[in-house]
C-alpha cells in the first residue's frame, strides 16, 4: 500500500492501542473483568487479588534524581520534593470493632448507658469470633477498639472506673488472644460534652486528660501489642499548637507510666483528615510532640480518609481514590519529615464503586508502605449488617462470610476462598 496510507493506519492503530490501555491506578484485570488488560507506559498491571488487578506506576517522581560520581563512590540524591513509590507490603491491615463508643457524638457527649460491648458475655455480637475470623480467614493483624471517655471514667472527669475498665479489657484481651495488635481509641473528638469543651482549650485540662492516659498506660504498660490512640477525630480546634500541647501531655503520661516502647497515635484537626493534615497545620504542630527522651520513636500520625462525596463516611457510593487530593501530598510531606502515618479509619459501602476506588487507595498505600503503615476499616463489632459502611461478617461459630468490600478488596487475602475459619 502507499506509504502515506500505511503511516496513517499505523498512527490510528497506535491511538487505538493507547485508548485500550488502562490509565495509572485504573483496573486492568480480575474475575469477570472485560476492560483493558494492559497499562499505559510507566505502569504495569498488578494483581491486588483474584478479583482486582490495577495499573500501578513502575516509578513516579515529581522531579528527576541526580547521580554524582566521584573517584571513591557513586551516590544518588533526590530533591526534597521527590516522591518515589516504594513497592511493599503494608505493616497493618484491620478493622474497627465498634460498640463501646456507641452513644458518643461529635460534640464529645457520650451516653454511658448506650455503650454496647461487642462481646456475647455482655449480650452483644460475637466480637471475639469476628476478630478470630478476620485474623485466620482474612489475614488481618490489627483491630481498633473505640471507647467513650465517659464510659472509662463512669461519667466524671476523674479516675478511671475499674469496673468499666475491666469490661473494656475483656474486648482488649479477646483482641490480643488472636495475636493481633489492638488500638485503644478514646472516641471523644477532643471534647468532653457539648459547649466550650475542647481539651486544654476551655474543656478538661491537659492534666485531667493525662490522668486518664496515665491510668490506661499503667494497666497496659507491659503489653507490647497495645497501641495507644490518643483521641478520635479532633475537629474545629481553634489553636493547633495548644492541641499539640494536649497531645504532648498524653504522650508524656503514657511514657512515664512505663509504656515506653508501644506505638502512640497522634491525631490532627478536621476529623484527623489525611487530605488536610498538611494544609491545616496539623503536621507542623504535631511533629513537635516528642517522647521524654526527645525522640519521635513510635510516635505515629493518626489520619482518616473516606471515599464518598464529602469524605464523611456516610454514603454507600464512593467517588474518589483520594490519591491526588490526600495521599500523594501526605506521602511527600511524611518522607520530607522522616515520619509515618496510620490510616485508622477508612471505608465505603458494599458497592462496585467502593470496591474500585478502595482497591486503588490500598494499592497506592502499599506502594508507599515506608511512610503509610496501614489501614483499619470502619466498621464491624456491634453494628447491624444494614449499616451503610458495615464490614460485619455474617455467620457464627466456625462459619463466617465477609461483606463484598472486605472480600474483594480490603482483606489481605481478598479473593481467597471464603466462609470458614482456618
Amino acid at each position: 500500500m502507499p506509504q502515506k496510507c500505511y503511516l496513517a493506519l499505523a498512527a490510528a492503530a497506535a491511538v487505538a492501542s493507547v485508548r485500550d490501555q488502562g490509565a495509572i491506578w485504573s483496573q486492568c484485570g480480575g474475575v469477570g473483568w472485560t476492560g483493558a488488560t494492559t497499562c499505559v507506559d510507566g505502569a504495569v498491571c498488578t494483581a491486588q487479588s483474584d478479583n482486582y488487578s490495577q495499573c500501578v506506576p513502575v516509578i513516579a517522581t515529581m522531579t528527576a534524581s541526580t547521580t554524582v560520581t566521584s573517584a571513591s563512590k557513586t551516590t544518588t540524591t533526590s530533591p526534597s520534593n521527590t516522591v518515589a513509590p516504594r513497592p511493599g507490603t503494608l505493616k497493618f491491615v484491620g478493622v474497627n470493632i465498634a460498640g463501646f463508643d456507641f452513644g458518643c457524638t461529635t460534640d464529645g457527649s457520650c451516653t454511658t448507658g448506650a455503650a454496647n460491648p461487642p462481646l456475647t458475655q455482655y449480650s452483644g455480637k460475637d466480637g471475639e469470633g469476628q476478630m478470630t475470623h478476620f485474623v485466620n480467614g482474612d489475614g488481618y493483624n490489627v483491630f481498633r477498639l473505640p471507647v467513650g471517655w465517659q464510659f472509662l471514667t463512669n461519667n466524671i472527669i476523674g479516675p478511671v472506673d475499674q469496673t468499666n475498665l475491666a469490661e473494656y479489657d475483656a474486648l482488649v484481651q479477646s483482641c490480643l488472644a488472636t495475636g493481633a495488635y489492638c488500638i485503644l481509641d478514646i472516641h471523644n473528638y477532643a471534647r468532653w460534652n457539648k459547649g466550650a469543651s475542647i481539651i486544654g482549650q476551655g474543656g478538661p485540662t491537659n492534666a485531667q486528660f493525662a490522668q486518664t492516659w496515665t491510668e490506661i498506660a499503667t494497666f497496659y504498660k507491659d503489653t507490647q501489642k497495645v497501641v495507644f490512640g490518643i483521641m478520635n477525630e479532633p475537629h474545629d480546634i481553634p489553636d493547633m499548637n495548644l492541641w499539640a500541647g494536649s497531645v504532648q501531655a498524653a504522650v508524656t503520661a503514657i511514657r512515664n507510666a512505663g509504656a515506653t516502647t508501644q506505638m502512640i497515635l497522634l491525631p490532627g484537626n478536621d476529623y484527623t483528615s489525611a487530605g488536610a493534615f498538611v494544609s491545616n497545620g496539623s503536621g507542623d504542630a504535631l511533629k513537635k510532640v516528642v517522647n521524654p527522651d526527645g525522640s519521635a520513636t513510635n510516635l505515629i500520625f493518626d489520619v482518616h480518609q473516606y471515599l464518598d462525596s464529602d469524605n464523611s463516611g456516610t454514603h454507600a457510593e464512593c467517588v474518589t481514590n483520594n490519591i491526588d487530593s490526600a495521599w500523594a501530598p501526605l506521602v511527600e510531606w511524611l518522607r520530607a519529615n522522616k515520619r509515618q502515618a496510620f490510616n485508622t479509619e477508612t471505608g465505603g459501602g458494599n458497592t462496585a464503586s467502593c470496591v474500585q476506588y478502595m482497591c486503588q487507595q490500598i494499592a497506592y498505600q502499599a506502594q508507599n508502605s515506608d511512610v503509610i503503615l496501614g489501614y483499619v476499616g470502619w466498621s464491624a463489632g456491634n453494628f447491624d449488617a444494614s449499616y451503610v459502611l458495615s464490614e460485619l461478617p455474617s455467620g457464627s461459630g466456625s462459619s463466617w462470610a465477609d461483606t463484598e468490600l472486605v472480600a474483594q478488596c480490603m482483606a489481605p487475602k481478598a479473593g481467597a476462598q471464603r466462609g470458614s475459619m482456618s
Side-chain angles (χ1 to χ4, degrees):
M1 68 178 66
Q3 185 179 24
K4 188 181 221 181
C5 293
Y6 175 83
L7 292 174
L9 288 172
V15 170
S17 176
V18 170
R19 286 175 179 167
D20 290 337
Q21 292 178 319
I24 290 176
W25 303 119
S26 66
Q27 186 172 359
C28 58
V31 175
W33 175 249
T34 59
T37 56
T38 60
C39 304
V40 296
D41 288 346
V44 61
C45 190
T46 303
Q48 308 298 326
S49 71
D50 291 346
N51 293 293
Y52 192 86
S53 295
Q54 184 174 43
C55 290
V56 175
V58 175
I59 187 167
T61 56
M62 293 178 65
T63 58
S65 297
T66 303
T67 301
V68 179
T69 304
S70 68
S72 59
K73 62 181 179 178
T74 299
T75 60
T76 300
T77 61
S78 299
S80 60
N81 63 341
T82 296
V83 181
R86 304 172 189 187
T89 301
L90 291 168
K91 184 174 182 179
F92 298 108
V93 174
V95 65
N96 282 262
I97 305 296
F100 276 104
D101 58 311
F102 285 9
C104 293
T105 62
T106 58
D107 65 7
S109 300
C110 289
T111 303
T112 303
N116 194 357
L119 293 166
T120 56
Q121 62 262 44
Y122 297 113
S123 301
K125 288 187 168 64
D126 185 10
E128 182 177 6
Q130 291 177 32
M131 290 186 284
T132 301
H133 160 71
F134 281 127
V135 169
N136 294 338
D138 292 319
Y140 282 1
N141 64 356
V142 63
F143 299 103
R144 185 169 178 255
L145 313 176
V147 61
W149 190 1
Q150 286 91 331
F151 178 85
L152 290 173
T153 62
N154 201 21
N155 276 323
I156 63 170
I157 304 178
V160 168
D161 183 276
Q162 295 304 306
T163 299
N164 287 5
L165 178 59
E167 193 170 322
Y168 178 63
D169 181 59
L171 181 64
V172 176
Q173 296 305 321
S174 293
C175 172
L176 292 168
T178 69
Y181 284 78
C182 310
I183 301 172
L184 313 184
D185 161 54
I186 295 183
H187 213 77
N188 274 69
Y189 306 89
R191 289 158 166 79
W192 178 283
N193 294 337
K194 67 181 74 174
S197 57
I198 296 172
I199 298 165
Q201 300 181 53
T205 66
N206 288 350
Q208 289 170 323
F209 186 45
Q211 177 187 0
T212 296
W213 274 115
T214 293
E215 295 187 62
I216 295 171
T218 299
F219 194 85
Y220 292 106
K221 65 182 180 181
D222 297 320
T223 309
Q224 289 305 305
K225 286 195 171 181
V226 156
V227 179
F228 301 105
I230 285 179
M231 179 56 61
N232 176 69
E233 295 190 347
H235 64 88
D236 299 293
I237 304 297
D239 189 323
M240 274 307 299
N241 289 316
L242 287 180
W243 172 244
S246 301
V247 173
Q248 180 67 72
V251 168
T252 301
I254 291 167
R255 296 301 191 218
N256 287 346
T260 58
T261 59
Q262 295 95 329
M263 287 190 296
I264 302 177
L265 305 181
L266 315 182
N269 202 359
D270 293 331
Y271 298 91
T272 60
S273 167
F277 186 80
V278 177
S279 62
N280 68 15
S282 294
D284 284 341
L286 292 174
K287 72 181 182 182
K288 300 170 187 174
V289 176
V290 295
N291 294 309
D293 64 3
S295 74
T297 304
N298 282 330
L299 300 184
I300 309 300
F301 297 124
D302 193 2
V303 295
H304 294 174
Q305 197 72 30
Y306 287 95
L307 296 84
D308 52 357
S309 58
D310 57 1
N311 292 304
S312 66
T314 59
H315 305 91
E317 296 295 336
C318 297
V319 301
T320 177
N321 57 27
N322 292 310
I323 293 170
D324 292 336
S325 60
W327 297 114
L330 180 60
V331 162
E332 179 184 359
W333 186 91
L334 290 168
R335 270 200 202 111
N337 287 275
K338 297 180 171 58
R339 298 297 294 269
Q340 294 176 313
F342 194 168
N343 183 18
T344 62
E345 266 193 44
T346 190
N350 292 290
T351 59
S353 65
C354 289
V355 169
Q356 175 188 353
Y357 288 119
M358 181 62 75
C359 283
Q360 292 171 5
Q361 175 174 281
I362 290 170
Y364 184 82
Q365 291 174 338
Q367 286 285 310
N368 295 279
S369 59
D370 59 314
V371 292
I372 303 295
L373 292 184
Y375 59 88
V376 186
W378 186 270
S379 177
N382 248 2
F383 275 110
D384 187 80
S386 63
Y387 171 53
V388 67
L389 301 189
S390 174
E391 295 183 21
L392 180 73
S394 59
S396 63
S398 61
S399 181
W400 298 86
D402 285 314
T403 63
E404 180 181 4
L405 188 62
V406 170
Q408 295 197 35
C409 190
M410 298 194 76
K413 295 182 181 179
Q417 185 174 354
R418 288 292 185 268
S420 63
M421 295 189 297
S422 56

